[in-house]
Amino acid sequence: MPADFNLTYLDSNMQRLRTFLDNHCDNPDLVAVIDGLMVACKDIAYKVQLGGLAGVLGSAEQINVQGESQKKLDVIANDLIKQALRIMPQVKGLASEEESDAVACNPEGEFLVLFDPLDGSSNIDVNVTVGTIFSVLQSEPGADPTYEATYLQCGREQVAAGYVLYGPSTILVLTVGKGVYTFTLDPRVGEFYLQREKVRVPATTKEFAINMSNQRFWLPEMKNYVNDLLLGEQGPLGKRYNMRWIASMVAEIHRILTRGGIFMYPYDSREPQKPGKLRLMYEGNPMSMLIEQAGGKASTAYENIQEVEPTSIHQRVSVVMGSAEEVDNVIRYHKK
Ligand code: AHG
Ligand code: MN
Ligand code: MN
């Protein structure tokens, strides 16, 4: 057998996701939820890889509740995750970027799952990394899964959070509140294997990610901070910075969990009544939990994202997250 088809690692100590979860997670019902969610994510990964051959590229020619036009893969990913969660007795209800209202699953279930079925969907048709982001909350017994209020818990209440990155490899990044772990999918056997344990975000960085085309719409505080970044070693921050923008939050956060950095999608005045572009419950909160569990920071620039009290499932939030010292710099500029 050629070396690249060598499966001997399957006999080694590499841990399958299910084994890891059974050893690492106290609540077997939560293990079942994560396991069930991954069934859908593996299917999404398969469809993403087939791309045009599976007829999944292009627009669905529909508008979602956010007023954004949906891609075919936004709809497919949403349907796959919804199908997987609805049949699980442990899941009480779900909320998704692509669903206008919360969806009741099993009234006896203990968990609520909130998700962005496909993040970075403007990248699908150009074959650039996309992902699924999820947040798991525990529900009060008797709470009604059809009521939006049932889902409105702040990020600190999350019992698990993660994302699945559909890139050159398919990678699950997960926390159940005891550090961050990454798992790589072996598509030949359909199993995720543990790759990195207790991931840490370096405290300092020289790399930032922000959509510079929105500069003129930012608050003066954010303009000042980014101007100073651009001044490099001659500016008050005293460092030469590099910039990245993938337009896929999952890919940006994955880079930051790998080598540090800061990711920002701050408030801007294009739609002044909205606090930001990204959604609190299924983008801001789960990514904040991962970043904080890895030793980084996540802020709106004024308060900790996971402490923002939600008022609706599709609520927006200003996002600044990544290496702790750099997030502190942004917060300092906003206090000036
Ligand atoms: P989604 O595809 O789920 O709507 O989210 C896209 C988000 C996020 O992933 C990314 O950081 C940002 O939108 C990109 O926005 P711009 O196109 O404004 O750069
Ligand atoms: Mn998204
Ligand atoms: Mn999305």
Side-chain angles (χ1 to χ4, degrees), residues 4-308:
D4 57 340
F5 269 83
N6 188 343
L7 290 176
T8 52
Y9 74 85
L10 294 179
D11 302 327
S12 75
N13 290 327
M14 285 190 70
Q15 250 187 91
R16 288 166 194 231
L17 173 63
R18 181 62 198 231
T19 314
F20 168 87
L21 289 172
D22 287 338
N23 294 331
H24 186 85
C25 188
D26 304 329
N27 186 334
D29 287 343
L30 180 57
V31 172
V33 172
I34 296 166
D35 220 24
L37 195 52
M38 287 312 112
V39 172
C41 289
K42 284 184 223 175
D43 209 347
I44 298 169
Y46 181 67
K47 289 185 165 59
V48 169
Q49 288 217 314
L50 284 176
L53 298 177
V56 298
L57 303 185
S59 168
E61 283 160 19
Q62 287 170 200
I63 304 288
N64 69 9
V65 64
Q66 328 273 333
E68 294 164 351
S69 86
Q70 291 174 307
K71 299 280 185 183
K72 282 184 194 163
L73 214 48
D74 287 319
V75 178
I76 293 167
N78 185 58
D79 288 348
L80 286 170
I81 297 174
K82 196 164 69 167
Q83 274 169 28
L85 295 178
R86 280 181 109 164
I87 56 168
M88 298 187 64
Q90 300 86 356
V91 178
K92 175 178 282 202
L94 61 88
S96 161
E97 179 190 344
E98 308 302 344
E99 299 281 337
S100 47
D101 302 310
V103 176
C105 298
N106 179 346
E108 305 308 318
E110 182 183 348
F111 295 104
L112 305 167
V113 183
L114 298 92
F115 56 95
D116 176 354
L118 210 74
D119 177 64
S121 44
S122 71
N123 285 318
I124 296 166
D125 295 344
V126 286
N127 201 21
V128 172
T129 298
V130 289
T132 296
I133 309 172
F134 59 91
S135 161
V136 185
L137 297 168
Q138 230 156 356
S139 173
E140 296 288 320
D144 185 334
T146 62
Y147 283 5
E148 185 171 36
T150 297
Y151 299 76
L152 302 182
Q153 304 178 26
C154 74
R156 286 269 174 255
E157 304 295 325
Q158 294 173 103
V159 292
Y163 61 81
V164 178
L165 193 77
Y166 312 112
S169 308
T170 296
I171 296 178
L172 163 67
V173 179
L174 177 70
T175 183
V176 293
K178 297 183 212 164
V180 175
Y181 293 80
T182 79
F183 304 82
T184 301
L185 179 69
D186 183 339
R188 299 170 297 185
V189 292
E191 291 276 3
F192 281 103
Y193 290 93
L194 180 62
Q195 286 276 286
R196 293 171 62 203
E197 302 184 55
K198 300 257 175 205
V199 173
R200 302 301 290 169
V201 179
T204 59
T205 185
K206 293 180 178 177
E207 201 160 61
F208 72 98
I210 193 163
N211 185 339
M212 289 292 293
S213 68
N214 297 327
Q215 189 174 30
R216 69 188 188 281
F217 303 109
W218 299 334
L219 293 173
E221 292 82 351
M222 186 52 80
K223 283 183 187 161
N224 290 339
Y225 168 69
V226 175
N227 282 341
D228 287 350
L229 286 181
L230 299 178
L231 291 173
E233 56 274 65
Q234 266 93 51
L237 296 163
K239 286 192 242 180
R240 182 179 295 191
Y241 286 83
N242 195 9
M243 197 199 92
R244 291 284 183 276
W245 188 250
I246 308 173
S248 182
M249 188 191 199
V250 275
E252 318 273 8
I253 298 303
H254 198 67
R255 184 185 61 250
I256 291 171
L257 287 170
T258 307
R259 65 177 192 217
I262 186 166
F263 168 80
M264 295 168 281
Y265 212 120
Y267 168 82
D268 67 54
S269 61
R270 284 174 299 169
E271 292 182 272
Q273 74 289 358
K274 292 183 182 165
K277 175 179 178 181
L278 299 178
R279 280 57 53 116
L280 173 66
M281 304 290 294
Y282 42 80
E283 292 176 317
N285 277 341
M287 292 310 205
S288 297
M289 184 177 182
L290 288 167
I291 289 285
E292 287 190 9
Q293 283 286 320
K297 288 196 173 176
S299 171
T300 64
Y302 294 102
E303 66 177 312
N304 189 302
I305 291 176
Q306 290 195 83
E307 280 154 22
V308 173

